[in-house]
Amino acid sequence: MKKEKESVFFNRELSWIEFNARVLHEACRKELPLIERLKFIAIVSSNFDEFFQVRVAAIKRLNSVSPHHKDCSGRTPSELLKEISERCHQISRIQQQCLACDILPKLSDAGISYVPPSSYTSSQKSYLASMFKNSVLPLITPLRTDSNFPTTENMRLYVAFMLKEISGLHDGTKAFVMKSLPSPLALVGVPENLPRVIWLPSDNGKRAFATLDDVITSFGFTVFPGYTVTDTLLFKVARDADFAVNEDGADFTKEMEDVLIKRRSSLATRLLCNAAGSKITTLLKEKLNLSDDDVYEFPGLIDPSSLLGITDASEAAPLMNPEWKNYYPVTLPEGKTYWDTLRQRDVLLHVPYESYEPVIKFLNDAAEDENVLAIKMTLYRTGNASPIVKALEKAAQNGKQVTAFVELKARFDEGRNLNWASELEKSGVIVVYGVVGLKVHAKMLLVIRRESDGLRRYVHLSTGNYNSKTARIYSDMSVFTSNVDIANDATTFFNTISGYSQFLNLKHLSMAPVNLKSRLLSLIEREIRLSTPEKPGLIMAKMNALGHESIIKSLYRASRAGVKVLLNVRGICMLVPGVKDLSENIRVVSIVGRYLEHSRVFYFQNGGSEEIYLSSADWMPRNLDRRVELMFPILDADVFKIVKETLRVYFDDNCRSHTLSSSGKWKANKPAKKETEVNAQEILQKKYRRQAELHKKQPKLDFVVRRDN
């Protein structure tokens, strides 16, 4: 009997770093508009900020308590930290070169110039000195470091000033001189409530700008009378942000506030600065307990996201992508309520190609409709000034029974979620703060309405958050339905997560951490069982991340059984494709494009009786084992056809996609000679535009339905 090949895995963190490399690849594409390339540069920095706060912090903690532990790829924590540092430094150098040597010079050629301090003209210096004195100086507080070294806040920009005392000071001034250090050091936090881009007076008709960081570095010496500045350093520190809230505390919201406070001054994981070899860097490393591997030098602009302030300039418009409009779904009646439509059929919404307005309208209609009795929904990340939150408040004020399942543990959105959860409660909304020990990541909205034939329930299920802002840039799918079985499952789901109900079997929905993983495993095993050499099985799956070992092993078994497995994974992928006798029937691709691919879509051929599921869950341990997630089937034939065709397009992309090799390298795909270019996002945009244009041309007919009395 042939022995099965041992399963192999890529390391999770190293796989994520390669995702960030794919984002950087987009920034380096010279055919893209300059501002779009700048946005990708900023995304790389933002991604790394979160990576070092969460993933690197976790590895550092593991290294301190269990240094000999080996992960599924065979690496110890210290080995992994070394590889992370080497690859992240390499990517950072490419990022710097792309920004400094390509994007910024071309921006200058296009009429928008960044002016570094060394290039300020006399008139610019005069303007910035006055601006610093009047608008910046009143907002900054220098921190001395000679007694207790001050705690630098997590991810906040600082300018460090190495000082030298001027001789001849009178006795009154000497009383305040910092004497314990040969060269005193002071820190100044960059104000977070001022614009980072400062437009300069124009000398030649072109737009020129400086940055707030540079202005403080250049004119901060005025804060230290009696001293001269011998050296400066712009820096920020990433700290451990991976804190678990104490869910056994008496006041859960207070416990969450404590987590936010701890995050500001926790263990340092990275020092990002503009001069890695300076004396200031050496001192910061010592005070922060960081090694050379933890220091990342980014000469000049250490926070590229600050440059996105230039997008407001009129000169920036030609340097951006042409606008892609989103369109009102042709399957929903514009200007009317959806109740009649949803009684007849399910409706798919694919944002941002289609407008997010139907979700907001659906909720507002429910808030205003006198026949709507109750609304229940989950909220994970909704954004500031959310129309979703306002609609829920309005519904409660109108006498509806409104229940919101608010997940306070949504990392980096905890503070925002605390604020609007409090607003909801003040409006009369019943707020349930998640589930103890689990994050509620499922996306569901349930509306209960009184109709002529009794109560009817309308359900909205989504792969993405109820966030109208991210719905403009995140690609997600959702379904409106009044299907009775789905509605029954939705009711059971809400009762389960709000009270003490025992979990009951759901007819169509699968819920993590109860049965979603086992359901996925059974679907994969069924594909193996039904696969034959004459008609091999087929699995197509699109997700953000793949890292669950049990799922990966099951996919390896499917490959060995001849099942064709097509995976579209935007970020982390721990599965190793293309290994003989293990995964040679598995292909993994990734798309990084204009929109962030966020939908989770799973297709199973099922011997010809095809099934498609949408889900809030990626195939990761955190999603399947430690979160409340949902997976739901596509039951409507028309919706099924649309989703399947869309999924196929994602695998045909040869313009903005990469293919993963067994070595862990991602190769950018390009059309072969005479091969048609396929840009999945562009094809989808054109499809929805064409649908909207055709629908607009169709005559609008009003039908009167006669019923016998």
Side-chain angles (χ1 to χ4, degrees):
M1 186 175 181
K2 187 176 180 180
K3 184 180 179 181
E4 287 189 353
K5 196 177 185 98
E6 185 179 353
S7 296
V8 293
F9 304 92
F10 290 131
N11 172 268
R12 169 184 169 152
E13 282 70 34
L14 296 178
S15 178
W16 180 90
I17 293 171
E18 295 311 314
F19 159 65
N20 219 24
R22 296 196 295 282
V23 175
L24 181 57
H25 175 83
E26 295 301 304
C28 296
R29 291 173 62 126
K30 297 182 185 295
E31 72 273 18
L32 297 184
L34 283 172
I35 297 296
E36 305 304 327
R37 297 177 63 192
L38 182 60
K39 289 178 182 178
F40 282 116
I41 286 285
I43 291 170
V44 170
S45 292
S46 176
N47 286 348
F48 271 142
D49 285 346
E50 182 171 339
F51 178 70
F52 279 89
Q53 289 178 84
V54 180
R55 298 308 307 169
V56 173
I59 300 166
K60 283 179 174 283
R61 277 188 273 108
L62 180 62
N63 192 41
S64 65
V65 298
S66 186
H68 301 297
H69 170 83
K70 289 190 176 184
D71 65 13
C72 62
S73 70
R75 293 172 173 84
T76 64
S78 60
E79 290 171 341
L80 181 54
L81 287 170
K82 192 72 177 176
E83 287 190 61
I84 286 173
S85 177
E86 289 175 357
R87 184 61 173 137
C88 288
H89 275 96
Q90 184 182 40
I91 292 174
S92 293
R93 286 192 291 271
I94 298 171
Q95 181 191 18
Q96 295 161 27
Q97 185 176 20
C98 178
L99 178 63
C101 302
D102 187 6
I103 294 177
L104 288 179
K106 287 180 178 176
L107 277 174
S108 181
D109 293 341
I112 304 178
S113 299
Y114 162 62
V115 183
S118 59
S119 300
Y120 292 161
T121 64
S122 56
S123 62
Q124 289 170 343
K125 281 184 182 178
S126 176
Y127 172 81
L128 291 173
S130 175
M131 178 262 181
F132 175 80
K133 179 180 178 181
N134 296 316
S135 302
V136 182
L137 183 57
L139 298 178
I140 63 177
T141 302
L143 304 174
R144 56 193 296 154
T145 65
D146 56 330
S147 50
N148 292 320
F149 196 86
T151 299
T152 56
E153 288 187 34
N154 185 29
M155 300 314 302
R156 183 172 181 182
L157 277 171
Y158 288 85
V159 182
F161 294 88
M162 189 73 78
L163 307 173
K164 182 179 181 182
E165 182 186 351
I166 299 174
S167 59
L169 294 174
H170 58 77
D171 292 340
T173 303
K174 285 185 177 180
F176 292 96
V177 170
M178 297 179 279
K179 296 178 178 178
S180 62
L181 292 173
S183 298
L185 183 72
L187 308 181
V188 173
V190 176
E192 296 177 318
N193 54 354
L194 290 178
R196 299 286 300 286
V197 167
I198 300 169
W199 292 105
L200 296 168
S202 177
D203 293 331
N204 54 10
K206 289 187 175 183
R207 298 298 299 273
F209 67 92
T211 66
L212 180 61
D213 323 336
D214 289 344
V215 170
I216 294 175
T217 302
S218 301
F219 300 99
F221 67 89
T222 60
V223 181
F224 308 103
Y227 290 88
T228 58
V229 175
T230 61
D231 196 9
T232 62
L233 183 79
L234 181 64
F235 73 94
K236 70 176 178 180
V237 178
R239 295 183 178 277
D240 184 356
D242 192 26
F243 287 103
V245 65
N246 176 18
E247 300 188 45
D248 296 326
D251 186 341
F252 184 67
T253 58
K254 178 63 170 61
E255 297 292 342
M256 182 56 69
E257 289 169 351
D258 289 344
V259 165
L260 299 181
I261 292 170
K262 291 177 184 176
R263 187 177 286 169
R264 295 175 192 162
S265 57
S266 55
L267 169 76
T269 59
R270 179 173 73 149
L271 173 65
L272 183 63
C273 59
N274 63 351
S278 71
K279 291 181 180 179
I280 302 177
T281 311
T282 302
L283 178 60
L284 289 174
K285 279 193 305 180
E286 177 188 335
K287 296 296 183 181
L288 297 168
N289 194 28
L290 294 174
S291 69
D292 289 342
D293 286 346
D294 301 318
V295 178
Y296 289 75
E297 181 182 6
F298 207 126
L301 297 159
I302 73 170
D303 188 4
S305 63
S306 63
L307 299 182
L308 296 182
I310 70 174
T311 58
D312 293 335
S314 58
E315 291 84 354
L319 309 177
M320 302 169 70
N321 279 325
E323 181 186 4
W324 276 4
K325 293 182 179 180
N326 52 40
Y327 301 95
Y328 204 89
V330 299
T331 48
L332 286 172
E334 197 166 357
K336 299 179 182 179
T337 60
Y338 304 152
W339 314 121
D340 290 341
T341 300
L342 299 182
R343 279 196 293 268
Q344 299 173 41
R345 63 177 183 273
D346 295 352
V347 173
L348 175 73
L349 183 67
H350 191 183
V351 296
Y353 307 102
E354 293 182 298
S355 168
Y356 194 69
E357 179 59 30
V359 177
I360 300 170
K361 175 176 166 49
F362 179 66
L363 200 48
N364 276 316
D365 286 347
E368 297 284 1
D369 192 324
E370 62 181 14
N371 291 316
V372 168
L373 305 178
I375 300 170
K376 298 182 181 183
M377 75 180 304
T378 60
L379 295 173
Y380 190 71
R381 302 184 195 273
T382 78
N384 291 323
S386 168
I388 298 292
V389 171
K390 292 186 183 303
L392 291 176
E393 292 173 348
K394 180 169 60 176
Q397 291 162 359
N398 287 343
K400 319 296 182 190
Q401 181 180 304
V402 182
T403 307
F405 297 81
V406 178
E407 183 48 77
L408 293 183
K409 301 187 292 291
R411 188 182 287 122
F412 301 121
D413 275 336
E414 300 96 338
R416 184 184 296 117
N417 289 7
L418 277 168
N419 290 335
W420 53 254
S422 176
E423 289 179 21
L424 287 170
E425 287 185 317
K426 290 176 183 176
S427 299
V429 175
I430 301 168
V431 177
V432 180
Y433 291 110
V435 177
V436 174
L438 301 169
K439 284 186 179 181
V440 178
H441 193 248
K443 330 292 183 185
M444 181 192 280
L445 166 60
L446 173 64
V447 174
I448 298 98
R449 187 171 187 264
R450 181 179 50 227
E451 299 185 354
S452 59
D453 56 350
L455 293 183
R456 185 181 292 271
R457 290 161 295 177
Y458 296 86
V459 184
H460 177 258
L461 288 154
S462 179
T463 66
N465 298 312
Y466 287 105
N467 188 320
S468 58
K469 292 184 179 179
T470 57
R472 299 171 193 162
I473 55 175
Y474 284 26
S475 173
D476 273 301
M477 292 182 178
S478 63
V479 173
F480 294 94
T481 183
S482 65
N483 179 283
V484 174
D485 291 332
I486 294 289
N488 286 337
D489 283 356
T491 301
T492 301
F493 168 79
F494 280 122
N495 290 341
T496 300
I497 66 173
S498 66
Y500 293 103
S501 302
Q502 290 291 324
F503 179 78
L504 301 175
N505 287 330
L506 303 176
K507 184 168 184 178
H508 289 303
L509 302 185
S510 299
M511 172 182 169
V514 182
N515 69 341
L516 202 162
K517 179 176 68 176
S518 60
R519 177 64 175 152
L520 285 171
L521 291 172
S522 69
L523 290 171
I524 297 171
E525 292 302 320
R526 184 186 66 185
E527 205 64 30
I528 294 172
R529 192 170 61 252
L530 296 177
S531 181
T532 66
E534 296 75 28
K535 191 173 183 179
L538 173 63
I539 298 171
M540 294 188 290
K542 179 180 179 297
M543 66 199 77
N544 300 318
L546 170 58
H548 200 294
E549 291 183 31
S550 297
I551 298 291
I552 293 173
K553 289 178 180 178
S554 186
L555 291 173
Y556 285 156
R557 287 195 295 275
S559 175
R560 287 195 295 266
V563 176
K564 186 178 181 181
V565 181
L566 301 178
L567 302 173
N568 192 305
V569 185
R570 189 192 81 223
I572 296 165
C573 181
M574 292 172 58
L575 178 147
V576 183
V579 178
K580 186 174 176 56
D581 297 328
L582 179 71
S583 58
E584 54 194 319
N585 289 316
I586 302 178
R587 178 181 176 232
V588 181
V589 298
S590 177
I591 291 177
V592 179
R594 185 164 177 168
Y595 296 141
L596 184 139
E597 290 298 336
H598 194 252
S599 56
R600 292 92 167 183
V601 187
F602 314 138
Y603 166 93
F604 298 90
Q605 186 171 266
N606 188 27
S609 300
E610 304 168 299
E611 293 179 353
I612 293 180
Y613 299 83
L614 301 183
S615 181
S616 61
D618 292 312
W619 292 355
M620 296 287 286
R622 67 182 183 187
N623 300 97
L624 302 182
D625 300 330
R626 301 191 296 275
R627 287 183 176 181
V628 176
E629 305 269 16
L630 285 172
M631 182 175 76
F632 53 98
I634 300 299
L635 301 177
D636 184 282
D638 292 333
V639 174
F640 189 100
K641 181 180 178 182
I642 295 169
V643 175
K644 183 181 176 183
E645 289 175 350
T646 302
L647 191 57
R648 278 288 188 188
V649 169
Y650 280 119
F651 287 104
D652 291 339
D653 189 296
N654 58 16
C655 291
R656 304 299 287 272
S657 64
H658 292 69
T659 298
L660 178 62
S661 71
S662 58
S663 68
K665 302 286 186 182
W666 289 86
K667 181 181 178 182
N669 294 319
K670 296 180 180 179
K673 287 184 179 180
K674 298 183 180 181
E675 185 180 14
T676 303
E677 290 188 1
V678 179
N679 182 328
Q681 293 187 352
E682 195 171 277
I683 286 172
L684 291 171
Q685 175 65 20
K686 290 178 179 178
K687 167 193 167 183
Y688 285 101
R689 182 184 68 195
R690 187 166 56 251
Q691 282 183 355
E693 290 171 348
L694 289 173
H695 183 70
K696 201 171 184 180
K697 293 177 182 178
Q698 290 177 355
K700 302 297 183 289
L701 301 175
D702 291 327
F703 294 95
V704 177
V705 179
R706 300 185 184 276
R707 293 186 176 89
D708 294 332
N709 293 329

